[in-house]
C-alpha cells in the first residue's frame, strides 16, 4: 500500500477555501435531500398508493444507493478525479430529484431515491477527498472538518423544515423540484471553480469487488426492509442468503487482490476501526431513530408534518451548532466521538414515552441533549474518516465511513419499524429507544478502550 500524498502540491489558501465551501455545500445539499421524506412520508405514501412495505422502501432506498456505491465512488474519485466525481454526482442528484417530483407510483419514487443515493455517494466521497487533499493536516483540517460536519447537521435541520413548509403550501413534490434546481446550479458552479485532485497513481479497477459489494449490500438491505412484513417469508430468506454469499465473496476477493477496492488490512488500525464502527453505530442508534421519529409523532400525537419538522429541528439545529464548536473541545477526535455517543444515548432516554404522554419539556430536553451529541459525532467522524487512512486514499476512507453510516441507518429504520409493528406504536417506540441508547453507550465505551490501546 502506497503511503504517499496526492500528486498535486497543496492548494493555495484561496483555492483551499473554495474547496471547503464546495465540500460543505455538497454535504448540506446531500443531507437536505436525504431528510426531505421524513415528515411527508405518510402523504407521499398515500398519494402514490404505497403498499405495506412501501414507506420503508421510500425511506431506505436512498440509504441503499449510498451504501452500495460509496466505496466504489471513493475509489473512482481517488483514481479519476475528485472534482469529476463531485460534479457528476451533483448532476445525477438533480436528475434524481426531478424524477422524484414527477413520480406516479411508489416504484418510480424508489428508483429516483436509489439514483439520488448513488449520486450522493459520489458527492460525499469526492468532497471529503478534496478536503483531505486541500488540508493535509493540523488545526486547519480540524476546523474545516468541523464545518463539514456542521453542514451535515444543518442539512438534517433544513430538509424536514423545507419539506413540511412546501408540502403545507403546495405539495410534497415541490421540495424535490427545489433540490433539482439547487443541484444543477451547484454542478455548474463546481465545474467552473474547483481544482482537480487525485491519487499519485491510477489503481487497477476492482470490478469483482465493486459488484459483489454493491449486490451484497443491496441484498442485505432488501432482506431487512422486507422483513418488516414478517421474517419467515421466502423473500427474506433469499435476500439474506444472497447477502451472506456475496459479502463472503467480496471478502475473499479483497484479501487476494494486490489493489483491492477496500484494504481490509486497515481494520487492524485502531483509528480506522473506531471511525468505521462509530459510523455504523451512529447510523443504527442515532440516524435510524431520528429518521422514524417524525412519523411516530404524527401518528401517535397528531402533529402536522410542519410541526413535527419544527420539533425535529431542535435536535438537528443543536447538531449543527455543536459541530461548528466541536473544534474548541481540545481532545482527540476519538474521545469526542465517545462523548457524542454518550450524549446521544442520554438524549434518547429522555424521550422515553414520546409516543404516549411524555411531557414536552422532557422530550425537548432529550432532543437538545441528543442534538449536541450528534454534532460532536459528525465533527469527529468527518475528521477520523480522513485521518484514519493514507492521504492518497482519502476518498476511500470517506466511502468506508459513510457506507457504514448508511448501512447502519437502514438497519436502524427497519428495526424500529419492525419493533413498532410487533409491539405497537407506544411500547415499540420505547423498547427501540432503550435498545438504541444501550448500543450507543456500549459503542462509546469500546471507542474509549480502543483509544487507550492506541495510546
Amino acid at each position: 500500500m502506497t503511503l504517499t500524498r496526492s500528486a498535486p502540491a497543496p492548494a493555495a489558501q484561496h483555492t483551499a477555501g473554495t474547496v471547503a465551501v464546495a465540500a460543505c455545500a455538497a454535504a448540506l445539499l446531500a443531507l437536505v435531500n436525504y431528510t426531505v421524506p421524513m415528515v411527508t412520508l405518510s402523504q407521499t405514501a398515500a398519494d402514490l398508493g404505497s403498499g405495506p412495505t412501501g414507506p420503508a422502501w421510500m425511506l431506505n432506498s436512498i440509504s441503499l444507493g449510498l451504501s452500495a456505491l460509496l466505496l466504489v465512488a471513493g475509489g473512482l474519485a481517488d483514481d479519476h478525479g475528485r472534482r469529476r466525481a463531485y460534479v457528476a454526482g451533483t448532476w445525477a442528484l438533480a436528475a434524481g430529484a426531478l424524477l422524484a417530483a414527477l413520480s406516479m407510483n411508489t416504484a418510480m419514487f424508489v428508483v429516483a431515491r436509489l439514483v439520488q443515493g448513488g449520486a450522493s455517494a459520489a458527492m460525499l466521497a469526492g468532497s471529503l477527498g478534496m478536503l483531505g487533499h486541500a488540508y493535509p493536516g493540523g488545526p486547519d483540517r480540524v476546523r474545516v472538518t468541523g464545518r463539514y460536519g456542521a453542514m451535515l447537521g444543518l442539512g438534517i435541520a433544513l430538509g424536514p423544515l423545507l419539506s413540511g413548509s412546501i408540502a403545507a403550501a403546495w405539495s410534497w413534490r415541490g421540495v424535490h423540484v427545489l433540490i433539482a434546481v439547487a443541484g444543477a446550479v451547484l454542478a455548474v458552479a463546481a465545474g467552473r471553480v474547483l481544482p482537480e485532485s487525485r491519487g499519485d497513481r491510477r489503481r487497477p479497477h476492482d470490478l469483482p469487488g465493486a459488484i459483489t459489494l454493491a449486490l451484497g449490500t443491496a441484498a442485505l438491505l432488501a432482506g431487512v426492509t422486507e422483513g418488516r412484513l414478517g421474517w419467515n417469508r421466502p423473500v427474506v430468506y433469499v435476500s439474506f442468503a444472497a447477502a451472506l454469499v456475496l459479502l463472503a465473496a467480496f471478502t475473499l476477493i479483497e484479501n487476494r487482490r494486490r489493489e483491492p477496492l477496500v484494504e481490509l488490512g486497515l481494520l487492524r488500525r485502531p483509528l480506522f476501526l473506531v471511525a468505521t464502527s462509530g459510523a455504523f453505530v451512529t447510523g443504527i442508534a442515532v440516524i435510524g431513530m431520528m429518521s422514524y421519529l417524525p412519523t411516530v409523532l404524527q401518528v401517535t400525537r397528531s402533529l402536522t408534518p410542519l410541526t413535527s419538522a419544527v420539533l425535529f429541528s431542535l435536535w438537528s439545529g443543536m447538531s449543527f451548532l455543536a459541530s461548528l464548536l466541536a473544534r474548541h473541545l481540545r481532545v482527540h477526535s476519538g474521545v469526542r466521538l465517545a462523548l457524542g455517543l454518550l450524549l446521544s444515548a442520554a438524549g434518547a432516554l429522555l424521550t422515553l414515552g414520546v409516543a404516549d404522554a411524555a411531557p414536552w419539556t422532557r422530550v425537548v430536553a432529550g432532543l437538545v441533549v441528543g442534538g449536541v451529541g450528534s454534532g460532536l459525532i459528525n465533527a469527529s467522524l468527518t475528521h477520523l474518516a480522513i485521518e484514519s487512512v493514507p492521504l492518497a486514499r482519502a476518498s476511500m476512507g470517506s466511502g468506508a465511513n459513510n457506507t457504514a453510516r448508511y448501512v447502519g441507518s437502514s438497519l436502524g429504520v427497519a428495526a424500529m419499524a419492525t419493533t413498532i409493528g410487533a409491539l405497537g406504536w407506544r411500547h415499540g417506540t420505547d423498547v427501540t429507544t432503550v435498545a438504541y441508547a444501550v448500543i450507543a453507550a456500549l459503542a462509546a465505551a469500546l471507542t474509549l478502550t480502543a483509544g487507550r490501546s492506541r495510546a
Side-chain angles (χ1 to χ4, degrees):
M1 181 178 66
T2 303
L3 299 179
T4 54
R5 291 179 47 182
S6 297
Q13 186 174 0
H14 70 279
T15 304
T18 301
V19 168
V21 170
C24 288
L28 177 63
L29 183 59
L31 266 294
V32 165
N33 178 68
Y34 183 87
T35 55
V36 290
M38 289 180 182
V39 298
T40 58
L41 184 62
S42 299
Q43 292 180 0
T44 308
D47 194 19
L48 298 180
S50 300
T53 60
W57 275 110
M58 287 174 165
L59 279 181
N60 275 350
S61 52
I62 191 168
S63 295
L64 197 160
L66 271 160
S67 54
L69 294 179
L70 267 165
L71 278 168
V72 178
L76 290 174
D78 284 330
D79 291 339
H80 298 281
R82 293 155 186 155
R83 181 187 64 183
R84 182 179 297 179
Y86 178 109
V87 173
T90 309
W91 277 119
L93 184 80
L98 186 59
L99 183 63
L102 299 174
S103 293
M104 303 303 295
N105 51 52
T106 302
M108 189 173 175
F109 186 85
V110 167
V111 169
R113 297 293 284 174
L114 281 168
V115 170
Q116 289 182 309
S120 298
M123 292 172 66
L124 293 173
S127 61
L128 264 180
M130 288 190 298
L131 275 186
H133 173 72
Y135 294 88
D140 284 344
R141 175 181 282 185
V142 174
R143 173 177 50 82
V144 76
T145 52
R147 290 178 180 176
Y148 187 96
M151 290 303 104
L152 298 176
L154 183 59
I156 292 172
L158 289 179
L161 287 173
L162 284 173
S163 183
S165 300
I166 295 174
W170 175 33
S171 165
W172 60 266
R173 300 176 187 271
V175 72
H176 297 287
V177 175
L178 179 62
I179 289 171
V181 173
V185 171
L186 181 59
V188 170
R192 291 180 176 177
V193 303
L194 284 178
E196 187 58 282
S197 69
R198 53 175 60 86
D200 283 333
R201 60 185 180 85
R202 182 174 297 184
R203 294 153 55 100
H205 291 304
D206 182 8
L207 188 59
I211 291 174
T212 51
L213 176 64
L215 293 180
T217 304
L220 173 63
L221 297 186
V224 169
T225 303
E226 287 297 324
R228 185 180 178 185
L229 286 184
W231 298 100
N232 292 323
R233 299 162 61 227
V235 65
V236 177
Y237 288 135
V238 171
S239 296
F240 283 143
L244 180 63
V245 171
L246 287 163
L247 293 176
F250 170 74
T251 303
L252 291 173
I253 289 167
E254 298 305 281
N255 277 326
R256 294 183 178 183
R257 288 186 68 90
R258 291 180 58 191
E259 301 278 1
L261 178 69
V262 183
E263 296 173 19
L264 298 180
L266 288 173
L267 291 172
R268 291 191 290 269
R269 288 188 174 193
L271 199 61
F272 185 81
L273 188 60
V274 163
T276 306
S277 60
F280 182 68
V281 169
T282 298
I284 292 177
V286 180
I287 302 175
M289 177 181 171
M290 298 309 297
S291 295
Y292 211 72
L293 188 60
T295 301
V296 171
L297 292 171
Q298 290 174 40
V299 171
T300 61
R301 304 189 77 158
S302 301
L303 297 189
T304 65
L306 183 56
T307 304
S308 61
V310 171
L311 190 63
F312 183 80
S313 69
L314 291 172
W315 174 78
S316 49
M318 290 305 300
S319 177
F320 167 69
L321 291 175
S323 290
L324 277 181
L325 299 175
R327 63 190 176 91
H328 297 293
L329 192 59
R330 304 293 185 178
V331 295
H332 186 267
S333 294
V335 176
R336 224 170 40 210
L337 172 61
L339 178 59
L341 288 168
L342 286 174
L343 288 173
S344 294
L349 291 176
L350 284 171
T351 66
L352 278 174
V354 68
D356 191 3
W360 285 113
T361 51
R362 178 158 59 80
V363 172
V364 167
L367 292 172
V368 169
V369 171
V372 173
S374 175
L376 294 178
I377 290 170
N378 286 337
S380 303
L381 287 178
T382 303
H383 188 257
L384 287 169
I386 298 174
E387 189 183 58
S388 62
V389 298
L391 186 59
R393 306 307 293 163
S395 292
M396 187 274 290
S398 162
N401 192 271
N402 282 299
T403 296
R405 190 192 302 240
Y406 292 112
V407 168
S409 71
S410 291
L411 295 176
V413 167
M416 191 167 189
T418 301
T419 305
I420 288 172
L423 302 178
W425 285 97
R426 291 171 174 80
H427 190 46
T429 300
D430 284 348
V431 167
T432 312
T433 298
V434 172
Y436 288 171
V438 170
I439 290 171
L442 288 174
L446 291 173
T447 297
L448 290 174
T449 300
R452 284 196 294 270
S453 66
R454 177 176 178 267

